[in-house]
Amino acid sequence: MRRLRLLLLLLLLLLLPRPGAPGPGDDASPPDAAQEPLRGLRERLRAAAALSRRYWALLRCRVWPEDCERAEEAGAGLLGWSLPLLGQQYLDILTSWYCSFQACCDSGDCRISNNFTGLEWDLSVRLHGQHLARELVLMTVRGYLELPRPDKALALSFHGWSGTGKNFVARLLAENLYRDGLRSDCVETFIATLHFPHPKYVDLYKEKLASQVKETQERCPQTLFIFDEAEKLHPGMLEALRPHLELQAPENHRVESPKTIFLFLSNLGGNTINEAVLTLLQAGGAREEIRLDQLVPRLQAEMESTDTGFGHSCLVKENLIDFFIPFLPLEYHHVRLCARDAFLSQGLPYTEEALDQIAKMMVYIPKEEQLFSSQGCKSISQRISYFLP
């Protein structure tokens, strides 16, 4: 085991980018004194050691969860496990390679990480323009998972236009709660039009869904179920989830009762959210001051009046959803940030001019104000290819 850990550390150091190393376009003048190379070497070694400690702390937490608490303390003050996105990819490669031939831990729930520090940082730094989702998702998920014996599953419903970050937040949750992210055996993702396309088979779908939820809960003490395009689900389908979302009597609680989170992602209510935000901004309000109680009642009213399966399901009619979370429409400066992140995620250079050009390629509405991106940040990653050298 000790030899394997040393091998992992050596591989990690080889993959690390050299902090402070000159880039391809930097000038490197020859040293004036014989001692200059030694001083430069010492500085680089110190910088590399500091950076490698950050990577090593996170790698230990992902591979050996018993070391996670000590690793988190070692990473304190480092922006909550913040790492370059390219570095995250290196860590994923190392973790997958190590766990392919060596058991990462002895217990059945070893791949559950619950890195709330990382989740808080991701929601604060990588999610743009969604202060309501940032605060509410972290508070509800952390509070639920820290309960010793919850009396029901947690149900969160994300609403907003396409490209505003609903799927992105679902992925951040999976990545920070499970070491394998969306690939985890404890995470199941369903797309309404893909997995449940035919209304005439709703009874069969309902039976299969109930069986899959049960099997996943038996396999994992903590599970995450994601339902994309939730507004297209048949209301009968969601009946299969009722037993998990209704309050259980105290005598029915078991010590080993699984913790389950259901996420519903929907475009339903997007127009209502946008209209409310536009009205508040036109009245002189600040975006960051928009409150949940200014949006959720209108959102719920639209769901109840719209002819959709989700709006007419038992989850909405019987108030089984714990929180409706609105995703606000994104503005020009949010799109620029998304473009910057797209460059960084691929390790590519960018200029401020390129970010502006990408942001200007998007369509903005309403026609008069030109305030909100009609596609949010969707398709940004495909557009950056036009601006590569």
Side-chain angles (χ1 to χ4, degrees), residues 4 7-8 94-104:
L4 284 171
L7 179 59
L8 275 176
L94 281 174
T95 303
S96 299
W97 170 77
Y98 177 82
C99 294
S100 66
F101 63 86
Q102 175 71 29
C104 292

Side-chain angles (χ1 to χ4, degrees), residues 57-68:
L58 183 55
L59 183 64
R60 282 170 57 193
C61 185
R62 297 177 69 175
V63 177
W64 302 289
E66 68 275 7
D67 292 341
C68 192

